Amino acid sequence: MTAHAWFAAFVVVNILDAALTLWALHCGGTEANPLIRALMRRLPAAAALVLVKGAYIVAVAVWLADVAPWLPLLTGVFAAICAWNAVQILRAR
C-alpha cells in the first residue's frame, strides 16, 4: 500500500477508536489511556477524543513522509485498540 492509503486507514481506525471509546464509556467502561482520561475530567469525553484524535491525525499528515515507514505499525496499534474497545463493549453487555 502507498503512504497515502496507509494514512487513510490510520484516519479510519482513529475515528473508529473514538466512536468505540464513546460507546464503551456509555456502557460503563473507562478510558485506559491516563492522559486522555485526565483530559476527560476537564472536557466532555467527545471533545477530548476529537482533540486528541485530531492532533494525532494532523501530526501524522504534517510528517507523512517521515512517518510513512511507521504507518502500518501505527495503524495496526489503533486497530488493536479498536478490537480491545469492542471486547470491552461486549463484556459490558
Side-chain angles (χ1 to χ4, degrees), residues 41-68:
R41 288 188 200 113
R42 291 170 170 54
L43 298 173
L49 287 168
V50 166
L51 183 68
V52 172
K53 297 298 181 179
Y56 289 163
I57 291 167
V58 168
V60 169
V62 168
W63 294 298
L64 184 60
D66 294 332
V67 299

Side-chain angles (χ1 to χ4, degrees), residues 14-83:
N14 271 277
I15 292 169
L16 181 60
D17 175 36
L20 287 170
T21 297
L22 289 173
W23 188 1
L25 292 172
H26 178 74
C27 291
T30 59
E31 173 58 51
N33 182 322
L35 298 175
I36 297 174
R37 191 171 52 241
L39 186 59
M40 286 179 176
R41 288 188 200 113
R42 291 170 170 54
L43 298 173
L49 287 168
V50 166
L51 183 68
V52 172
K53 297 298 181 179
Y56 289 163
I57 291 167
V58 168
V60 169
V62 168
W63 294 298
L64 184 60
D66 294 332
V67 299
W70 293 96
L71 271 173
L73 176 64
L74 291 172
T75 303
V77 166
F78 281 100
I81 292 169
C82 289

